[in-house]
Amino acid sequence: MFVSDCRRDFYERIVSQALFQCDHVQYTLVPVSGWQELETAFLEHKDQFKYFVLINCGANVDLLEILQPEEDAFFFVCDSHRPINVVNVYNETQIKLLVKPDDDLDVPAYDDIFRDEDEEEEESEAESDGSEPSDKRRRFEEEVIERTMKRRQRREWEARRREILFDYEQYEYHGTSSAMVMFDLAWIMSKDLNDMLWWAIVGLTDQWVQDKITQMKYVTDIGILQRHVSRHNHRNEDEENSLSIDCMRIAFEYDLRLALYQHWSLYESLCNTSYTSANLKLWSVQGQKRLHEFLADMGLPLKQVKQKFNSMDISLKENLREMIEESASKFGMKDLRVQTFSIHFGFKNKFLASDIVYATASLMESIEKEGPETTNFIKALDSLSRGNLDKLHQGLDLAKKQLRAIQQTVASCICTNLVISQGPFLYCSLMEGTPDVKLFSKPVSLCLLSKYLLKSFVCSTKNKRCKLLPLIMAAPMDVEQGTVIMVGIPPETESSDKKNFFGRAFEKAAESTNSRTLHNHFDMSIIELKTEDRSKFLDALISLLS
């Protein structure tokens, strides 16, 4: 079983692992962070195994071409990356795609993109038969006309095929969370557990935190999971009072869109949440003033909001959500309330789904070197177990540092005008020596920073055109090798469909300029690039997208 070494994939991995354990199926778990590691892992294991489960990797490329497997190797692919490669879709023997029936894949028709070999052989035979002059001139002319028509039809078909494939593959986006797909599979098999349901919830929440799916998709999937939550966590009053100290209970609720606020101070959470920071423009003196006005409007003393949330007066915490929502609407923050789920471990420990997302992300991309590269993966995996709350709290502490670093970097970029318009897109580059720059050499952290920065920039700029532009962000990757990591994200608009065109654009720009790039990430909109090739690469992008 190969698992993409990216945070949302723990939830899928752990659901599938639980399914294997239910049936006593032996398996080997191999975390992979990119295409190169996937190829290496397959080569190492192809002689031992015939069945391979790929989780959140493998759908958006021609797997058979990349891995070159034997005919008796079979792949089960559960991947939210879209679009799915057409060869994987129409391969009926070796590749089995795990997707929800209601997912609209919008795959082109088979006849529009594939021609049977028999047709091509017939054409070539016709050409060879016609190479000899015919006894009858009329028959010869008919054959020439027929061959010419067939060649023209083939050229037209190939041109139409290129156009169809371009339209289909132009944008990168995400489908239903793989964690939800795996939970659905468990449910159909009558092997679903409350733990599996929680991992599916966290998988969906991760897509929302990373801004991978639309609000409509999020709300729809929340509704689906809410029915499962009601089924698994329905208890009458007597049962509620007799819960054991180590029980687990999931609840649907409307909560605040504030990062880690129940494990932080309310003040720190307001300052380091992208939504509130951007809307209040907290990088400016005027923004800090508006924050204090916001707190005053709610009637919350600074002494209370600056201490740990658990230490706040109970009288203030009881009506906190209503107080914040009422004041937030006055300050232009009408979407501060969000549908989510919480989990209770016993009587003391309560976590929101987004808390788990931030904690596992920070553990996964910790820059502290501790053993082999898979150490962070295992740590993050352990934090999902209710028996390892210490690991989870460690992740929450790292997440706070990560969020602070992101907001400080956003403030620095806005105040020093590092975000510049390049015509068809915005561009921002972090220099070596920037505080916390090492953290942003990690793909998920850089993506989060990019999304937070674009949201803040849109709130700060008065240029209407710039508000509608996508963003490319670069950060030093490896100073010794002279490489940068670059990510492209779609525009920050309410009507955004979250589709990203930078993956294909990066490929074409690199190809046209012979730039030394490495397209190793499962998200095609993330690439590695030689620093000295950056200028010509960006020039090609500007030309391509203008």
Side-chain angles (χ1 to χ4, degrees):
M1 178 166 61
F2 300 144
V3 187
S4 165
D5 190 359
C6 175
R7 64 176 174 173
R8 63 180 170 273
D9 308 313
F10 302 115
Y11 326 125
E12 294 94 70
R13 196 278 325 166
I14 206 162
V15 174
S16 57
Q17 180 173 338
L19 282 174
F20 285 144
Q21 289 173 349
C22 281
D23 288 340
H24 307 290
V25 176
Q26 290 187 343
Y27 63 92
T28 298
L29 175 68
V30 185
V32 290
S33 62
W35 297 115
Q36 290 181 343
E37 287 189 9
L38 177 62
E39 290 178 50
T40 302
F42 177 72
L43 288 172
E44 289 175 357
H45 295 85
K46 68 176 184 177
D47 295 331
Q48 300 168 261
F49 302 98
K50 297 301 179 187
Y51 296 94
F52 302 89
V53 181
L54 274 60
I55 299 180
N56 249 32
C57 58
N60 55 348
V61 295
D62 185 347
L63 268 181
L64 299 185
E65 183 182 347
I66 284 183
L67 299 180
Q68 299 289 317
E70 299 293 333
E71 290 184 0
D72 59 350
F74 298 93
F75 299 88
F76 298 87
V77 183
C78 184
D79 187 3
S80 65
H81 291 97
R82 300 289 184 271
I84 298 177
N85 185 278
V86 290
V87 176
N88 295 340
V89 173
Y90 288 112
N91 184 291
E92 297 178 350
T93 52
Q94 289 183 270
I95 297 175
K96 312 295 180 184
L97 296 172
L98 304 179
V99 294
K100 293 192 71 173
D102 56 351
D103 266 5
D104 183 15
L105 301 180
D106 200 24
V107 180
Y110 180 88
D111 291 336
D112 289 339
I113 51 176
F114 293 108
R115 285 171 71 93
D116 291 335
E117 291 180 2
D118 294 342
E119 291 180 25
E120 294 179 5
E121 286 175 8
E122 284 176 14
E123 287 181 24
S124 61
E125 284 174 12
E127 288 180 13
S128 62
D129 291 343
S131 61
E132 298 278 334
S134 175
D135 295 337
K136 295 183 180 180
R137 184 176 181 81
R138 186 173 55 82
R139 185 180 174 190
F140 173 73
E141 288 175 351
E142 286 175 357
E143 287 181 356
V144 169
I145 292 171
E146 186 180 350
R147 288 202 306 273
T148 304
M149 288 295 294
K150 283 184 176 180
R151 287 197 192 103
R152 181 184 300 168
Q153 288 172 0
R154 181 171 180 81
R155 283 196 299 269
E156 289 174 355
W157 180 86
E158 287 175 347
R160 191 169 65 251
R161 178 182 186 272
R162 284 194 296 270
E163 188 178 329
I164 289 170
L165 285 178
F166 176 80
D167 290 341
Y168 175 66
E169 297 174 344
Q170 184 178 8
Y171 294 101
E172 181 185 19
Y173 61 102
H174 286 76
T176 300
S177 164
S178 300
M180 282 190 65
V181 175
M182 297 304 291
F183 176 78
D184 250 22
L185 182 61
W187 177 50
I188 291 168
M189 296 166 65
S190 300
K191 293 180 179 178
D192 54 315
L193 303 170
N194 217 20
D195 288 283
M196 293 183 189
L197 176 56
W198 177 243
W199 299 324
I201 288 168
V202 179
L204 170 62
T205 306
D206 181 85
Q207 285 191 320
W208 178 73
V209 168
Q210 286 201 73
D211 212 24
K212 296 288 188 185
I213 54 175
T214 63
Q215 184 67 19
M216 180 63 73
K217 172 67 173 169
Y218 175 70
V219 171
T220 302
D221 286 352
I222 281 281
I224 294 169
L225 291 172
Q226 190 177 352
R227 293 192 286 275
H228 288 295
V229 167
S230 300
R231 180 170 57 87
H232 273 280
N233 296 270
H234 177 70
R235 294 186 177 94
N236 59 38
E237 193 173 335
D238 292 336
E239 288 175 316
E240 194 72 36
N241 293 333
S242 62
L243 290 176
S244 65
I245 196 167
D246 61 347
C247 74
M248 168 183 167
R249 180 166 53 89
I250 304 172
F252 170 81
E253 54 187 82
Y254 284 92
D255 213 307
L256 298 171
R257 192 175 179 174
L258 297 176
L260 310 177
Y261 79 95
Q262 295 180 13
H263 309 280
W264 215 348
S265 70
L266 187 62
Y267 186 84
E268 287 271 22
S269 182
L270 283 165
C271 289
N272 294 291
T273 296
S274 171
Y275 182 73
T276 49
S277 174
N279 280 279
L280 294 173
K281 302 176 184 175
L282 294 183
W283 54 84
S284 65
V285 175
Q286 189 64 28
Q288 291 292 327
K289 184 180 176 184
R290 276 172 59 82
L291 173 60
H292 285 82
E293 289 172 359
F294 176 53
L295 294 171
D297 189 78
M298 290 187 289
L300 293 175
L302 274 177
K303 183 180 178 182
Q304 287 289 325
V305 296
K306 286 192 173 183
Q307 61 184 327
K308 282 190 177 180
F309 181 80
N310 288 336
S311 303
M312 286 180 66
D313 287 350
I314 295 177
S315 58
L316 291 174
K317 287 197 290 186
E318 282 177 351
N319 302 311
L320 184 65
R321 291 182 199 172
E322 291 75 14
M323 290 163 59
I324 290 181
E325 282 178 47
E326 186 180 340
S327 294
S329 59
K330 298 178 187 176
F331 285 77
M333 297 183 288
K334 296 179 181 178
D335 299 322
L336 198 56
R337 192 175 76 152
V338 65
Q339 298 178 52
T340 187
F341 296 92
S342 63
I343 191 166
H344 295 257
F345 296 133
F347 304 116
K348 285 174 60 180
N349 298 291
K350 177 187 175 182
F351 303 94
L352 294 177
S354 57
D355 297 338
I356 311 298
V357 169
Y358 285 118
T360 53
S362 57
L363 286 169
M364 264 299 300
E365 297 206 328
S366 172
I367 54 177
E368 297 171 6
K369 291 283 185 182
E370 293 183 21
E373 291 184 6
T374 56
T375 302
N376 287 349
F377 182 90
I378 301 302
K379 278 186 179 179
L381 208 53
D382 288 345
S383 72
L384 291 173
S385 168
R386 47 179 148 158
N388 275 319
L389 290 183
D390 288 345
K391 281 276 196 306
L392 181 55
H393 284 289
Q394 182 186 344
L396 290 172
D397 289 337
L398 285 173
K400 293 172 193 175
K401 293 178 182 177
Q402 182 192 48
L403 289 172
R404 281 197 197 100
I406 287 174
Q407 287 305 329
Q408 287 166 6
T409 307
V410 166
S412 174
C413 291
I414 297 288
C415 293
T416 56
N417 298 315
L418 281 181
V419 182
I420 54 177
S421 173
Q422 295 280 17
F425 57 84
L426 301 169
Y427 177 69
C428 179
S429 177
L430 299 181
M431 304 299 292
E432 184 62 35
T434 305
D436 302 301
V437 73
K438 196 172 180 182
L439 173 65
F440 302 122
S441 65
K442 306 289 186 179
V444 174
S445 296
L446 184 61
C447 286
L448 267 183
L449 171 63
S450 304
K451 292 176 192 302
Y452 283 26
L453 177 58
L454 184 57
K455 195 184 295 286
S456 298
F457 180 80
V458 166
C459 290
S460 69
T461 186
K462 294 179 182 178
N463 187 320
K464 290 183 180 179
R465 183 178 173 278
C466 285
K467 289 177 183 285
L468 304 175
L469 295 178
L471 171 70
I472 292 178
M473 188 148 197
M477 177 84 180
D478 190 317
V479 180
E480 292 180 1
Q481 294 186 6
T483 57
V484 294
I485 181 170
M486 195 174 280
V487 60
I489 60 171
E492 177 64 33
T493 58
E494 291 182 6
S495 59
S496 173
D497 56 8
K498 308 302 180 187
K499 291 188 175 182
N500 194 331
F501 59 81
F502 278 118
R504 297 298 174 194
F506 284 168
E507 283 185 353
K508 288 185 178 297
E511 186 180 336
S512 65
T513 58
N514 291 320
S515 296
R516 290 163 292 176
T517 58
L518 181 61
H519 303 260
N520 187 42
H521 295 271
F522 298 122
D523 282 322
M524 295 177 65
S525 55
I526 304 172
I527 64 164
E528 295 168 31
L529 172 72
K530 279 288 185 180
T531 308
E532 53 261 37
D533 291 344
R534 178 163 41 180
S535 294
K536 65 177 182 180
F537 177 80
L538 288 172
D539 288 342
L541 267 181
I542 294 169
S543 174
L544 183 67
L545 300 174
S546 294

